[in-house]
PDB file of all heavy atoms in Angstrom:
ATOM      1  N   GLU B 221      -7.668  12.007  20.865  1.00  0.00           N
ATOM      2  CA  GLU B 221      -6.681  10.898  21.206  1.00  0.00           C
ATOM      3  C   GLU B 221      -5.312  11.438  21.399  1.00  0.00           C
ATOM      4  O   GLU B 221      -4.568  11.116  22.346  1.00  0.00           O
ATOM      5  CB  GLU B 221      -6.643   9.918  20.033  1.00  0.00           C
ATOM      6  CG  GLU B 221      -7.871   8.953  20.070  1.00  0.00           C
ATOM      7  CD  GLU B 221      -7.970   8.105  18.736  1.00  0.00           C
ATOM      8  OE1 GLU B 221      -7.077   8.274  17.881  1.00  0.00           O
ATOM      9  OE2 GLU B 221      -8.931   7.431  18.594  1.00  0.00           O
ATOM     10  N   ASP B 222      -4.915  12.336  20.495  1.00  0.00           N
ATOM     11  CA  ASP B 222      -3.508  12.985  20.649  1.00  0.00           C
ATOM     12  C   ASP B 222      -3.347  13.721  21.922  1.00  0.00           C
ATOM     13  O   ASP B 222      -2.339  13.684  22.634  1.00  0.00           O
ATOM     14  CB  ASP B 222      -3.241  13.902  19.413  1.00  0.00           C
ATOM     15  CG  ASP B 222      -2.945  13.117  18.213  1.00  0.00           C
ATOM     16  OD1 ASP B 222      -2.882  11.861  18.297  1.00  0.00           O
ATOM     17  OD2 ASP B 222      -2.899  13.724  17.115  1.00  0.00           O
ATOM     18  N   ALA B 223      -4.433  14.553  22.318  1.00  0.00           N
ATOM     19  CA  ALA B 223      -4.406  15.248  23.550  1.00  0.00           C
ATOM     20  C   ALA B 223      -4.277  14.388  24.775  1.00  0.00           C
ATOM     21  O   ALA B 223      -3.616  14.706  25.688  1.00  0.00           O
ATOM     22  CB  ALA B 223      -5.674  16.140  23.631  1.00  0.00           C
ATOM     23  N   ILE B 224      -5.048  13.276  24.686  1.00  0.00           N
ATOM     24  CA  ILE B 224      -4.908  12.274  25.777  1.00  0.00           C
ATOM     25  C   ILE B 224      -3.568  11.669  25.957  1.00  0.00           C
ATOM     26  O   ILE B 224      -3.016  11.648  27.035  1.00  0.00           O
ATOM     27  CB  ILE B 224      -6.063  11.127  25.666  1.00  0.00           C
ATOM     28  CG1 ILE B 224      -7.442  11.839  25.865  1.00  0.00           C
ATOM     29  CG2 ILE B 224      -5.763  10.112  26.696  1.00  0.00           C
ATOM     30  CD1 ILE B 224      -8.541  10.865  25.514  1.00  0.00           C
ATOM     31  N   VAL B 225      -3.001  11.355  24.799  1.00  0.00           N
ATOM     32  CA  VAL B 225      -1.595  10.760  24.833  1.00  0.00           C
ATOM     33  C   VAL B 225      -0.625  11.803  25.349  1.00  0.00           C
ATOM     34  O   VAL B 225       0.221  11.426  26.192  1.00  0.00           O
ATOM     35  CB  VAL B 225      -1.187  10.259  23.402  1.00  0.00           C
ATOM     36  CG1 VAL B 225       0.252   9.953  23.326  1.00  0.00           C
ATOM     37  CG2 VAL B 225      -2.021   9.115  22.932  1.00  0.00           C
ATOM     38  N   ALA B 226      -0.786  13.045  24.882  1.00  0.00           N
ATOM     39  CA  ALA B 226       0.156  14.107  25.361  1.00  0.00           C
ATOM     40  C   ALA B 226      -0.063  14.332  26.820  1.00  0.00           C
ATOM     41  O   ALA B 226       0.939  14.581  27.572  1.00  0.00           O
ATOM     42  CB  ALA B 226      -0.157  15.320  24.507  1.00  0.00           C
ATOM     43  N   ARG B 227      -1.255  14.272  27.249  1.00  0.00           N
ATOM     44  CA  ARG B 227      -1.523  14.487  28.701  1.00  0.00           C
ATOM     45  C   ARG B 227      -0.905  13.385  29.595  1.00  0.00           C
ATOM     46  O   ARG B 227      -0.323  13.587  30.552  1.00  0.00           O
ATOM     47  CB  ARG B 227      -3.034  14.620  28.958  1.00  0.00           C
ATOM     48  CG  ARG B 227      -3.444  14.953  30.386  1.00  0.00           C
ATOM     49  CD  ARG B 227      -4.908  15.357  30.332  1.00  0.00           C
ATOM     50  NE  ARG B 227      -5.297  15.718  31.664  1.00  0.00           N
ATOM     51  CZ  ARG B 227      -5.924  14.876  32.543  1.00  0.00           C
ATOM     52  NH1 ARG B 227      -6.213  13.661  32.073  1.00  0.00           N
ATOM     53  NH2 ARG B 227      -6.262  15.239  33.779  1.00  0.00           N
ATOM     54  N   GLU B 228      -1.079  12.145  29.097  1.00  0.00           N
ATOM     55  CA  GLU B 228      -0.564  10.991  29.801  1.00  0.00           C
ATOM     56  C   GLU B 228       1.028  11.020  29.872  1.00  0.00           C
ATOM     57  O   GLU B 228       1.600  10.649  30.867  1.00  0.00           O
ATOM     58  CB  GLU B 228      -0.947   9.683  29.157  1.00  0.00           C
ATOM     59  CG  GLU B 228      -2.413   9.261  29.470  1.00  0.00           C
ATOM     60  CD  GLU B 228      -2.927   7.974  28.743  1.00  0.00           C
ATOM     61  OE1 GLU B 228      -2.187   7.550  27.922  1.00  0.00           O
ATOM     62  OE2 GLU B 228      -3.974   7.553  29.179  1.00  0.00           O
ATOM     63  N   ALA B 229       1.574  11.543  28.760  1.00  0.00           N
ATOM     64  CA  ALA B 229       3.014  11.657  28.773  1.00  0.00           C
ATOM     65  C   ALA B 229       3.565  12.664  29.797  1.00  0.00           C
ATOM     66  O   ALA B 229       4.735  12.484  30.238  1.00  0.00           O
ATOM     67  CB  ALA B 229       3.491  12.026  27.334  1.00  0.00           C
ATOM     68  N   THR B 230       2.775  13.662  30.041  1.00  0.00           N
ATOM     69  CA  THR B 230       3.286  14.696  30.972  1.00  0.00           C
ATOM     70  C   THR B 230       2.636  14.490  32.344  1.00  0.00           C
ATOM     71  O   THR B 230       2.972  15.203  33.338  1.00  0.00           O
ATOM     72  CB  THR B 230       2.934  16.132  30.517  1.00  0.00           C
ATOM     73  OG1 THR B 230       1.547  16.170  30.267  1.00  0.00           O
ATOM     74  CG2 THR B 230       3.697  16.383  29.274  1.00  0.00           C
ATOM     75  N   PHE B 231       1.804  13.477  32.588  1.00  0.00           N
ATOM     76  CA  PHE B 231       1.078  13.274  33.826  1.00  0.00           C
ATOM     77  C   PHE B 231       2.117  12.903  34.903  1.00  0.00           C
ATOM     78  O   PHE B 231       2.897  11.960  34.567  1.00  0.00           O
ATOM     79  CB  PHE B 231       0.042  12.220  33.630  1.00  0.00           C
ATOM     80  CG  PHE B 231      -0.941  12.135  34.782  1.00  0.00           C
ATOM     81  CD1 PHE B 231      -1.847  13.128  34.983  1.00  0.00           C
ATOM     82  CD2 PHE B 231      -0.876  11.123  35.665  1.00  0.00           C
ATOM     83  CE1 PHE B 231      -2.715  13.071  36.124  1.00  0.00           C
ATOM     84  CE2 PHE B 231      -1.721  11.003  36.762  1.00  0.00           C
ATOM     85  CZ  PHE B 231      -2.674  11.947  36.933  1.00  0.00           C
ATOM     86  N   GLU B 232       2.039  13.446  36.086  1.00  0.00           N
ATOM     87  CA  GLU B 232       2.977  13.117  37.139  1.00  0.00           C
ATOM     88  C   GLU B 232       2.463  11.891  37.817  1.00  0.00           C
ATOM     89  O   GLU B 232       1.507  11.824  38.551  1.00  0.00           O
ATOM     90  CB  GLU B 232       3.110  14.304  38.101  1.00  0.00           C
ATOM     91  CG  GLU B 232       3.936  15.386  37.638  1.00  0.00           C
ATOM     92  CD  GLU B 232       4.140  16.422  38.657  1.00  0.00           C
ATOM     93  OE1 GLU B 232       3.930  16.194  39.784  1.00  0.00           O
ATOM     94  OE2 GLU B 232       4.471  17.552  38.254  1.00  0.00           O
ATOM     95  N   ARG B 233       3.257  10.794  37.544  1.00  0.00           N
ATOM     96  CA  ARG B 233       2.822   9.469  38.179  1.00  0.00           C
ATOM     97  C   ARG B 233       3.671   9.342  39.426  1.00  0.00           C
ATOM     98  O   ARG B 233       4.754   9.860  39.542  1.00  0.00           O
ATOM     99  CB  ARG B 233       3.179   8.344  37.281  1.00  0.00           C
ATOM    100  CG  ARG B 233       2.247   8.265  36.091  1.00  0.00           C
ATOM    101  CD  ARG B 233       2.434   6.970  35.322  1.00  0.00           C
ATOM    102  NE  ARG B 233       1.609   6.900  34.110  1.00  0.00           N
ATOM    103  CZ  ARG B 233       1.944   7.505  32.952  1.00  0.00           C
ATOM    104  NH1 ARG B 233       3.074   8.134  32.835  1.00  0.00           N
ATOM    105  NH2 ARG B 233       1.149   7.453  31.859  1.00  0.00           N
ATOM    106  N   PRO B 234       3.253   8.511  40.408  1.00  0.00           N
ATOM    107  CA  PRO B 234       4.026   8.295  41.618  1.00  0.00           C
ATOM    108  C   PRO B 234       5.339   7.487  41.232  1.00  0.00           C
ATOM    109  O   PRO B 234       5.362   6.598  40.321  1.00  0.00           O
ATOM    110  CB  PRO B 234       3.159   7.423  42.515  1.00  0.00           C
ATOM    111  CG  PRO B 234       1.988   7.033  41.629  1.00  0.00           C
ATOM    112  CD  PRO B 234       1.961   7.847  40.431  1.00  0.00           C
TER     113      PRO B 234
END
Side-chain angles (χ1 to χ4, degrees):
Chain B
E221 283 169 2
D222 286 353
I224 291 170
V225 169
R227 188 165 177 264
E228 282 178 349
T230 55
F231 191 73
E232 285 186 17
R233 292 190 181 84

